[in-house]
Amino acid sequence: MNVSKTGYRVFSANSTAACTELAKRITERLGVELGKSVVFQESNRETRVDVKESVRGQTIFIIQTIPRDVNTAIMELLVMAYALKTSCAKNIIGVIPYFPYSKQCKMRKRGSIVCKLLASMLAKAGLTHIITMDLHQKEIQGFFSFPVDNLRASPFLLQYIQEEVPDYRNAIIVAKSPSAAKRAQSYAERLRLGLAVMHGEAQCSESDMADGRHSPPCVRNTSGHPGLDLPLMMAKEKPPITVVGDVGGRIAIIVDDIIDDVEDFVAAAEILKERGAYKIYIMATHGLLSADAPRLIEESAIDEVVVTNTVPHEVQKLQCPKIKTVDVSMILAEAIRRIHNGESMAYLFRNITVDD
């Protein structure tokens, strides 16, 4: 990307203290000041953005962390991007560490692929590039009509395991489901540890909605076209949660990209305890920790939940001391510096595998 050397500015698309914390960490590492702007809600909940300085001909980076009110955060980002576009900014680059609606990236029955819709809205608002981290599905990058840099948090989480988990050589990496096995295998290979995979599921999991296991019905539909005789298809059925691998007397480290509703993690921790694991760690990039997650974690067999600061979660940390934070502002700041200077991003992906 050919970036003008005339200058760049970094703005935060949210004015609340919790959401600007990451933006301030990034600007401190870059040695620049946070751009002067005001983002607020009118009395009727409309979003208003006022940019307080000239951005003409400059490359602008908008940092937006996603708090609990996801839709308001999206509108803040869209309105600010459009304000900068109409103010003649040369390039507008969104720094969105956690990309919202990333779980809605598949067609489910008569639903919609909301992630694709959001990508189109961001392009229409004026964004020309996005920096994000650990997309829920890497194929989401294909929804965009402009470049997407999908950074990885795994080096920071691996470093945390090596430095903060006592006797981590006696640990085993656990995939909470077969779909997370590739990520877990990548962690296990780099840490030279064993791998265990949990198979089966609790009721009403996300995959029930995605794979259509209750459609078509297991009885023949005789009301169709008389000449159309489709083969009978049986509904899927998975067993209760079981563990493939020996976790007895080991430290179990469950790795995933998002930890939101924690019921599945709590259930997995109970199974691992029953199988003999004496400590349970959860490692995830994005700690959404919605609803009663802090209370459930505190009351569970989980010993520690480690997440990055891509999403503000200071309130949850006050409610549950088991939640720990890893700072990833360094890699985000370096990505901004490299894009502005027109340098290769390959260095940020060294030793990163496709499965991370």
Side-chain angles (χ1 to χ4, degrees):
M1 183 177 178
N2 186 17
V3 179
S4 172
K5 300 300 192 295
T6 55
Y8 74 100
R9 301 293 295 162
V10 179
F11 287 86
S12 173
N14 192 303
S15 296
T16 61
C19 294
T20 57
E21 180 182 355
L22 180 61
K24 289 178 179 177
R25 286 175 178 266
I26 291 172
T27 51
E28 285 174 3
R29 291 182 179 276
L30 290 169
V32 300
E33 293 184 358
L34 197 61
K36 296 179 177 63
S37 64
V38 178
V39 183
F40 61 96
Q41 306 294 315
E42 298 277 14
S43 56
N44 62 353
R45 302 298 295 168
E46 289 184 357
T47 299
R48 180 178 289 273
V49 173
D50 289 330
V51 179
K52 300 295 187 180
E53 57 187 280
S54 174
V55 296
R56 182 178 295 273
Q58 295 192 2
T59 296
I60 305 299
F61 295 87
I62 308 174
I63 301 172
Q64 178 63 312
T65 52
I66 307 297
R68 287 176 178 268
D69 192 350
V70 176
N71 296 325
T72 297
I74 291 171
M75 280 306 301
E76 290 170 346
L77 180 60
L78 292 171
V79 174
M80 174 163 276
Y82 191 69
L84 294 167
K85 177 183 177 181
T86 54
S87 298
C88 300
K90 184 175 182 180
N91 295 295
I92 304 171
I93 301 169
V95 183
I96 314 170
Y98 167 65
F99 195 80
Y101 286 98
S102 59
K103 285 190 175 182
Q104 297 191 45
C105 60
K106 298 177 182 178
M107 181 64 74
R108 292 173 177 169
K109 297 183 180 179
R110 294 179 182 86
S112 61
I113 305 176
V114 183
C115 195
K116 167 63 176 173
L117 172 64
L118 181 54
S120 301
M121 292 167 64
L122 292 173
K124 191 68 175 177
L127 286 171
T128 58
H129 194 143
I130 277 183
I131 302 170
T132 187
M133 180 169 281
D134 281 340
L135 288 169
H136 186 57
Q137 298 288 341
K138 297 175 182 62
E139 293 78 9
I140 291 173
Q141 295 174 80
F143 293 164
F144 294 87
S145 57
F146 48 76
V148 177
D149 286 311
N150 182 27
L151 304 176
R152 306 294 198 275
S154 56
F156 299 92
L157 296 176
L158 289 167
Q159 183 181 26
Y160 184 94
I161 293 172
Q162 292 174 317
E163 296 179 356
E164 302 296 334
V165 176
D167 193 24
Y168 84 92
R169 291 293 184 187
N170 189 38
I172 185 169
I173 304 299
V174 180
K176 186 172 63 70
S177 64
S179 61
K182 287 186 176 180
R183 180 189 300 270
Q185 181 181 3
S186 174
Y187 276 64
E189 288 175 350
R190 280 183 286 175
L191 290 168
R192 277 58 170 180
L193 298 176
L195 174 67
V197 179
M198 305 191 74
H199 176 59
E201 62 182 11
Q203 295 295 317
C204 302
S205 70
E206 178 193 353
S207 59
D208 286 339
M209 299 182 289
D211 63 8
R213 70 186 52 177
H214 301 304
S215 175
C218 58
V219 296
R220 280 187 198 277
N221 183 3
T222 57
S223 62
H225 192 279
L228 185 63
D229 189 17
L230 294 175
L232 179 65
M233 297 182 67
M234 302 301 294
K236 295 180 183 178
E237 184 176 347
K238 288 191 176 181
I241 299 176
T242 57
V243 182
V244 181
D246 182 15
V247 299
R250 312 285 286 278
I251 301 170
I253 302 176
I254 303 175
V255 297
D256 213 333
D257 62 329
I258 298 172
I259 177 168
D260 189 1
D261 296 322
V262 300
E263 285 86 354
D264 287 349
F265 290 94
V266 171
E270 293 292 341
I271 297 294
L272 292 171
K273 278 287 186 181
E274 291 175 6
R275 296 294 190 276
Y278 69 92
K279 274 194 175 181
I280 313 268
Y281 288 80
I282 310 291
M283 299 280 170
T285 303
H286 310 297
L288 305 186
L289 302 169
S290 302
D292 291 333
R295 179 182 61 82
L296 293 174
I297 292 170
E298 185 66 24
E299 297 172 357
S300 73
I302 299 170
D303 291 282
E304 197 166 284
V305 174
V306 182
V307 294
T308 71
N309 56 344
T310 56
V311 177
H313 54 266
E314 292 305 315
V315 174
Q316 291 90 326
K317 287 180 69 175
L318 293 175
Q319 297 171 344
C320 176
K322 292 182 180 180
I323 300 171
K324 308 297 181 184
T325 307
V326 175
D327 181 25
V328 293
S329 61
M330 179 175 66
I331 193 170
L332 294 169
E334 181 62 14
I336 290 173
R337 189 193 68 79
R338 285 177 174 271
I339 289 173
H340 170 65
N341 292 331
E343 298 176 17
S344 171
M345 297 286 284
Y347 180 78
L348 301 183
F349 294 93
R350 71 193 190 285
N351 300 325
I352 298 294
T353 65
V354 176
D355 298 325
D356 275 7

